[in-house]
Amino acid sequence: VEFDYPVFAVESEGPDFFTYVDQKKYNEQKVEVTQALKPGYKQKKEHKTDEILKWFPENPFFYELDPPLKTPFQTLRERIEEKAQKQYAPSTILVVYYNIKDSDRTGFVPFPKHILSEHKNCPFSKVEKFKRMLVLSADLAHLIELYPRPRLISSSKPSL
């Protein structure tokens, strides 16, 4: 089943949006949107504390990078499981914004290859609770489908 790109959306209580592929409100798609953040980060506060931004005093344009996460997809797994616990219609599409920078993942593997490899080696559980499970990369360059058919859907950058 290919994705019908919506022409407009209406905000909802749950799921987050109803999207429509035409002006007559036919073919309603239920879409739940969530975000996977780096452990310890809070939404809208990632870059607002001295704890997170450790500026080099001699050059305010550079800051220290934290070491890469040992399990970079753990918060993604947690968000999927949290959303799967809620009662959504089986026709709901889950979209997760994976708001974790490439520098926080290990190995310099391009995001699409890294997440698809992770899913193949240790499948993300409960993705089947949704009609589709999509992940959007932190830089908004890659859209990955984890369910029903794991694949790269679109990319504005070359995948190495």
Side-chain angles (χ1 to χ4, degrees):
V1 177
E2 287 301 314
F3 188 69
D4 292 324
Y5 291 95
V7 292
F8 72 97
V10 176
E11 199 168 350
S12 166
E13 288 297 315
D16 292 327
F17 298 96
F18 293 122
T19 63
Y20 301 91
V21 295
D22 57 39
Q23 296 294 338
K24 296 176 185 167
K25 292 192 177 182
Y26 296 131
N27 301 323
E28 170 184 279
Q29 294 180 329
K30 298 166 186 72
V31 180
E32 179 67 13
V33 180
T34 192
Q35 181 174 209
L37 293 168
K38 189 173 171 181
Y41 278 36
K42 301 289 182 219
Q43 188 172 357
K44 298 181 183 174
K45 298 196 187 290
E46 296 99 316
H47 304 290
K48 294 185 179 174
T49 65
D50 291 337
E51 241 176 84
I52 295 165
L53 287 181
K54 302 167 187 164
W55 295 99
F56 284 44
E58 65 276 3
N59 191 338
F61 296 106
F62 295 99
Y63 61 93
E64 282 183 57
L65 294 176
D66 291 329
L69 299 169
K70 289 184 177 144
T71 54
F73 295 110
Q74 185 57 37
T75 57
L76 176 60
R77 291 180 185 286
E78 291 166 4
R79 293 303 296 157
I80 293 169
E81 289 181 19
E82 284 173 26
K83 291 295 179 178
Q85 305 255 334
K86 296 184 178 183
Q87 300 300 314
Y88 295 111
S91 59
T92 301
I93 298 168
L94 179 63
V95 179
V96 181
Y97 172 50
Y98 183 75
N99 195 3
I100 298 176
K101 303 181 304 274
D102 285 346
S103 61
D104 289 323
R105 294 183 296 106
T106 58
F108 300 102
V109 177
F111 179 75
K113 284 186 180 180
H114 196 176
I115 193 168
L116 290 170
S117 171
E118 175 82 5
H119 185 54
K120 182 179 178 183
N121 295 331
C122 183
F124 291 90
S125 65
K126 302 196 175 23
V127 293
E128 69 283 349
K129 292 276 221 169
F130 302 95
K131 176 182 175 185
R132 287 186 91 181
M133 194 6 265
L134 305 170
V135 180
L136 183 60
S137 63
D139 60 3
L140 307 177
H142 308 289
L143 182 63
I144 311 298
E145 180 176 60
L146 289 182
Y147 183 84
R149 193 175 89 187
R151 63 195 170 118
L152 173 64
I153 291 180
S154 70
S155 180
S156 62
K157 289 182 176 179
S159 293
L160 304 174

